[in-house]
Amino acid sequence: MQILDLLWNLAHLPHVSREMVELALDAHSSILIESYSTKEGERRTYIGKCVEDIRKGVWVVPGFKQLHRFAKGFYKTNYGQKDQHQIAELQRQYDLLRQTCASLTKCHSKALKECEVKGESLGGETLVDGKYSHRECVDIHLKFMAFLLQDGALYVPTKRAFDIWDTLIANPNACDMDRKLAFKWFDVGMGDMELETQTQLFQTRVLKVDPLKLDQAGYQCLRNFFETINLAERKLRKVSSAYHSIIVETPDLTGIDYLWMAALEVRDIKIADELIGNILQISYQGLSPKLKKDVGSLHQRFFDECFKRLDNLQLPTEGEEPVVVTTPSKTGPSTSIMDINLKLQSVERLLLLLERYITVAEENYHFLRHYPPHGACFLGHPITLSISPDQHKSEFKLECHANESILSVRRRIAQTLGVGQEQVQMGISERWLEATDNNRLIHQLKFKEHQNIIVKTNLYARGNETTEGTSQRQSLGQEQEKSLPGVILSRQKAVFDRLEDLCQMSSSSIIFRVRSLLMLIPTDPRPVENMEIFTHTTPQGASEDPQSPASPHTVLRDYFDPAKTTPTRLLYSLEILSSRLIPAGDREVDEGQPQLFRRNFLECGGLKSVINVLQRNALPSDVDLTVRQDCYAIALALARFLLCNQATLSPAQRVPYRQLSLPVSSQSGEGSTGGTSGRRDTGSSEGGAEPMLAETTGDRPKVTKVMSSEDEVARLTIETMSVDDFATMLAYLVRVCWSAAAGQLHLASISDSQPPSPALHHRGNRDTTPTSLTERVAGQEGEGGGAGRSAQLRAGICLKQETDSVSSKNAAIAREALELLVTCLKLRSHLLNMFYTLPHTEDFVIDILLGSPHLQIRLSVVEQLLQLCSVNIAPPPSLSSDSMPVKRAKTSQVESPRHFFVHLLLKRPQSLWDTRLEPKKHGQLVEWERCSEYFEFRAQLLQNLYALDIDSLSVDVHAMLKEELRWLSVSATPATTSYPQWQTLLAGHLRLTLALFTSTNINKQEFGHDLALQLVATFLFPASKMILDSVEPTGIVSVSPHCSQPPSRISAYCLLIELCRGCYDNLVGVAKQLVKLHHHDNPQFAKEWEFQPPVVGRSPCGYVGLKNAGATCYMNSVLQQLYMTKPAREVILSAPESDAEGESILPEVQSVFGHMLESKLQFYAPDNFWKTFKLWGQPVNVREQQDAYDFFCNLTDQIDEHLKKLGLPKVFEEIFGGAYLDQKICRDCEHTYDRQESFLSVSLPVKSRSLQESLKEHVKGEMLEGENAYLCEKCQEKRDTLKRMCFKTLPPVMVVHLKRFDYDWEANRAIKFDDFFEFPWMLDMEPYTAQGIQARDKEEPPLPPQMYDLVGIVVHSGQASAGHYYSFIKEKSYLGSQLDPTIIPEEPEIEEEDSAHLQPSAPPTSGRWLRFNDTKVEQFMMSNAALEAECFGGSYKAKPSDSHSTTPEMRVRYWNAYLLFYEAVNSIKKLSLPRRVSGDSPNPTSPLRPHGGEDKLQQLQSPCRRWCRREKRGISLTTRCQLPSSTR
C-alpha cells in the first residue's frame, strides 16, 4: 500500500516531467491490476481518487488514463471479456457520463482562456497544463466516454449528447480539431444513442451546422444521421442492389434542404462532389419505381428546385467584380466580399447539379436523337483517333471532330472494316463502350489526340432489324425523347436568357459551367428560327417567306454584331451558324440546304459579319480566355468554309511543306517584277485570271478552278470587297494569328500604338540590321513588355515565350488564321502590296516563323507561305468603280511574294550568322533552337535558281554562298558544338548551303571540292581522320564530330550528295576519302570474328551503357545503379591506386565508372572486370546467368573490404547500411531484451501484394507461447513473449530485395513468383521503426515521417532458369540534363519540414527517369500506369487472339521489379565519406571538405583519365580506339 501511495504522490508532483508521470502511473496500474495481494477496496479507493481529481479539474488527462486502465483491467470475466454489469455499476455510483461531459466543457474553457492570455488561437497542439496538449485532452474524454457506452452497454443521454455537441461543434470558439474529433465520435457512436436522441440531435444540432465548417468527418457524420433518421421514418428503404443500396420511397426526406445547402456552400470540392452525388441519388437514381412513373414531372420538379434556389441568391449585378478570398474567416462569410464569393460558388454548384442530372438521366437513352443536344450540332475541333482492330486487320487512323458522337464513329469504323454496325465493339483503356455511350460525344469522353480505340468484330452479333422494326423502335424512342431532361429544360421559358445573364457575372468558372450545360440541351429555337431567313432569302435580300419577322440585315446585326451582343451570346450564335452551314451529327439534312444557306448568307454580307468577330474591338480585352478562343476558332472555320467551301482540316490532313513546290520562275507581264523562263511546270495556276483554291483530297493537294455557283459567289464576295475592307480583314487575320502564335491571344483586342520596327522596315543593306531579334526584344523590354503577359504585339513577342506556353487551341487558331490569310491573298493576288505595307507585316512574318514556341505553327507558316509564293500575280479584275473603289495607284505594280519573302529573309537576325564562340544571351539559344523552319523556308525560296530567277529576285547567290562557307569554316568550336541548339543551327546552315549549290551558275567543283572533304573529315568522321593520320593525342581529347545530332548529320549527308551530283571530281574525291577512312584493313583485329568497334556516340540523354558479354546483364544493371548513386561514385573514383591491383576488384570498378563518366561512346566493354571479378570466390562465366542480388552483395562486400585495407571507411556500409533491432518483449513481466543487427539490404516476400503490407508483416513479429514460451532471464520463468524485428537505424539509401525466386525441392527446379507487388513513389519508414512502433503501442501521437524517394529499380524479365536484367534509375537534379554530361551541378537539399507534404501516390516531378538496358540508355516516361505495367508484375488484359471472343485474354507479366533503391528525403543519416579532389595527395587519413559549390564531379576527371590511360582505352588510340558517334 505504501508503494501505491508513493507512486500516486509522485505522479501528482507538479514539477515532475510527463515521462516520469507516465512511468509512475504504469507501475501503479500494473500493481493494482496484476498483483494478487491487492484488495478490492484499494482498487475502488483509487477509482474514487481519479474521479475526484477529474471533478476538481487538476489532474484531468492522467486521471482519465488511469481510470480507463482501472476500468479495463479490474472488471474481466474468466474468459477475458469485460464485465458490463460492473462498468454499469461504476456509472451509477460515480455518474461518470455526467462527470466526463462536465470535465470536457471545463477543460475546453480552460484551453480557450490560456490561448486568450497568450494571444494565440486555439489548436490541437495548445498545451493545457504545460504537459498535455488540447488534442490529448479532448481525445481522452471522448475515448473514455466511448468505452463506457460500448463496454458498459449504456446509452448516452440526450442532454449529454447536446453538451458534447455544443462544446466541440456548435461552439463558435471551437477549432477544426475539436469538430473533427467530435464528428468522428458521433459518427461511430450513433449506435449508442436511442432513436429519440438521434432524432432530436439531428433536427436541432446536425442540421444547424454551418456548411462552411464541414470537413470530411462532418460529411460522414451528416450522411450517417441522414440515412439513419430517414430509414427509421421509412422514407428510405435498404435493398441489396448492385447499383443502389438505398431506395427512396417518398421525396419528402428529412434534412433534404440542408443537403442542398451544404452541397452549394461547403468549401471542400471533394465533399461537394459527394453531396451532389447524394442529391442525384435521392432525386433520380435511387427513386422507387412508383416515383418514376411520370419522369417528365420528375425532371420538371428538379429544375424548379434548382432555379428556385438560384432565384433566392441575390446575385451581384453586372459589372460588380467578385473578389476571391483565399483565407477563410472563422465565422464564415461575414463580409460582403465573402458573401459574393459564396453566391458565385453556389451558382456554379447549381449549374453543375443541372449538368450532372441531365447526363445521368440521359445515359440510358440510345436511340437516334431528333432533338440533339447543342454540342452535337456543330463541328468541334479536329481530332485523330487511332483504331486498333483485331489481329487480322491492320491499324488505321480515323479523322473525327470533338463533337462527333460515338455512334457516328462506330458506323464509320464498321464501313471501313466492311462489317455491320452491330458487329463492332469499341473499347478505351480497359472499358468497353456500350450501347448507352452511342449518343455521347468524343469530348465528353475526354478523348485526346491519337486516342487509341480497341475494336473487335463479333461476326455472330445480331444483324440489322427489318425496316418495320426499326421504324417502330425509332417512333418509340422519339416519344421517350420528349421526356428527356435536356429537352424539357430547353423548352423552359427564358431559360437561355437566364443562363446568358449568369455569364455576365465576370466568373470564368460560371461561364464554363453555363457553356457545359448548353452543350447538353437542344439549341435555343429562337435564333434557329430567325436564321431560317437565309434559307428563304431572294438575291435582292428580301425574304420569300411572308411570315418571316426579321430581315437578313437585322439578323446579322442582332446575332453577329459584337457591339449589339455579349461575347458568350455571340459565341452561341456562331455555333448555331456553324450547325447550319456545316451540319454535324446523325440527323438527315437535305444536301442542297446548307449550300443554299451558304449562298444566301454570302449574298447578304454574312462573310463581313463573321470576319468582324476578329476585329480588335469585337471582344473586350478581359473576356474569358475560353470564350475568346472558341469565338476566334469558329469564326475562322466559318470564314474558311464560306470562302473555300471546305471545313477545317485536321493535323493529319494538312499537307507537309516538303510536298509543296514553287513555280520555276516568276511570271512576267505587266504588274509583275519577274519573267518567264520556260522551266518545268510545277502545278501552279495557268493564266492567273481565275484564282485557284487548294482542296485536300487524299494525301496531296488538288488544285481546281472555281466552277460551282456557290464558289463563284464566294469568289465574287471577296473580290468585290472594297480595298479598305480587304485591308482591314488582312489586319484582323494578322493580329489574331500573331497573338495566338505567341500564346497571348488577349493581345488581339489591345490597341497597337507602337511604330513599325525600323529594323525590319529598312530595305537597305542587310549589314545595318541589328544583330538579332534578341536585341530588339531587349530594347523593347523597357517599354512595358515583360516576359509574361506583354502589353501589345511587337517584334520578338513570340521569342520571349516559353516552349510550352502556347496551348493546342491557340496553335490551331494561329494555323487557321494564317491559312485564311493566305486564301484571301490568293483570291486577290493583285492586292498583295496591301499585305506588304501593313504595319508590322515584316515583324509578324519573322516572329511567327522564327520565334513561335509551337513547332506545328512554324511548320504551318512554311507551308502556307510556300503556297502563297506559288501563286502567279493576276491583273486587277475589270469591275466598275461602284463595286470596288480602288484608291491606291500602286496596285498595278505588284511585287511577287517570292521576291518579297526572299528580301525579307535577307535581313536575317544576325545571331544566326554570328561566329562568336558561345551565345551570350538565353534569347540567342532560343533562336538557335527554333530556326529550323526559318532555314527550310529560306532554302525552299532559293532552291533550283536559274539565271532568270536570280535576275528577277535580285539576289547575289555567289555572295551568299561565300558567306555560308565562311560561317561553316569558323563557327564550329568546342564551346558551341556542345550546345544541342547549335546542332539545329548547323543543320539549317547546311540545308541553306545545299539550296545555294542547286543554282545553275554555281560551280560545284570550284566552291564545293574543299567543302566536301571538310564535311567528311571534320563534320562527320574526325576520329577516323585522326586514326588515318596516326596522331597520338596526349590524354583524352575531344574528337566529337561537328555534326553530332541526327538533324545536322542528315543535312551534312544530303549536302554531300548534292555536291557530288553532276560533279565527277567531287564524287571521286569523296569516294576516295571514305575508302581511306573506313575501309583500311587492320591486321590486329583480323582474327576477332565478332569484333564490332563502338562507333556510336553517347545516347541523347547523356549516359554511357555497358556491353553484355552474353549473360552479364545482372552485372550491368547493378553497376549502373551503383554508378548513379552519387556518394558511391565519388568515393570509388577518389580512392588511391593500389599496388596489388590484380587482387582487388576496386581498380576495375574504378575503370568502369571512369569510362561511364568520361567516355564519348554509346557503351563500354568492361573486359578486365569480367576477368577479375569472382563470385563466391570463383571466376564467373560471362555466358552463364547469375542472380543480381548475389552479385550486389558480393561486389559491395569486396569493395568495402578493399577500402578498409586502404584505411578508408566502407562506402557501401555507410550508404546502404542500417541496423535492425531484435526485440523480445515479455507480456506478463514486461521485460524487454534488445539486440542490434546490421544489414545492407532488406529482403521481403512478394506475397503481400504491396511493399507497405510486406514491411508491416516484416516488423509484426510472432508470439512465443506455450511450449515455445521464452525463458525470461530476469524472472527465470517462461513468459509469453512477442519476438519481432524492427528498424533501429535507417540507411541513407535503402535497398529492398524482393524475394521472387525460390526452389521447388519436390520438382527439383527453380521457380519464380510473378505475383502482383506494388510499391510507392514515396515511402514513409516511420511506422516500421522501433520508435514509431513504440509510439503506437503507447497510443502516442505519431512521430515525424521518415520519407524515402524511389530512385532505382532493377527489373528481371523471364523465368527462374533464364531471363534478362535491366534498370530504371531516377536522375537527380544534380544529374540533370546538361550540355556536358561531365559537368554535374549540386544536389539541392530538401528541408525536413517539406518532406511531410510529399504525396506517395503520385510521381515526384524533380528528376527524370532513365532506362539502362545494357548498351542502350534512354529516357523513360515513368508515370503511375508505366510503373505498374513495367514493375509490379501480376496479370494484365492482352489483346485476344480469337476474333470471336469478347473477353480480353489474361496474361502474366513475367517482367517485374527485383531490387528497389529508396533514397532518404530528410536527413536521416549524415554521410562522412572522404573525398579527394584532383591534384590533392592521396592521403587516406586526411579529412576532406564536404560537397560544396565548387566541388563538383568534374574534379574527378583526373582520376578517370588516369584509369583510362592505365587501360590504354578511351581515345588513347594505343591498342583499340573507341570513337564518338558515327566516326568510323
Side-chain angles (χ1 to χ4, degrees), residues 1300-1313:
R1300 290 193 176 272
F1301 297 104
D1302 203 349
Y1303 195 84
D1304 188 349
W1305 294 99
E1306 295 182 0
N1308 195 24
R1309 64 182 180 89
I1311 57 176
K1312 180 187 176 185
F1313 304 112

Side-chain angles (χ1 to χ4, degrees), residues 230-304:
N230 283 282
L231 283 171
E233 296 176 354
R234 296 187 178 182
K235 296 179 179 180
L236 296 177
R237 174 171 54 89
K238 279 192 175 182
V239 293
S240 56
S241 172
Y243 296 97
H244 311 295
S245 59
I246 293 179
I247 295 296
V248 180
E249 295 292 346
T250 175
D252 186 19
L253 300 176
T254 303
I256 184 63
D257 287 338
Y258 181 82
L259 216 61
W260 277 81
M261 182 177 66
L264 301 183
E265 298 183 4
V266 66
R267 288 196 182 98
D268 194 311
I269 299 177
K270 183 178 179 181
I271 298 176
D273 185 70
E274 294 185 15
L275 284 167
I276 290 174
N278 294 335
I279 293 176
L280 295 178
Q281 179 77 17
I282 61 182
S283 299
Y284 180 77
Q285 291 176 293
L287 294 180
S288 61
K290 66 179 181 180
L291 295 179
K292 282 188 175 182
K293 289 182 178 180
D294 188 2
V295 291
S297 300
L298 181 66
H299 300 327
Q300 188 63 52
R301 283 198 301 269
F302 184 84
F303 295 147
D304 292 342

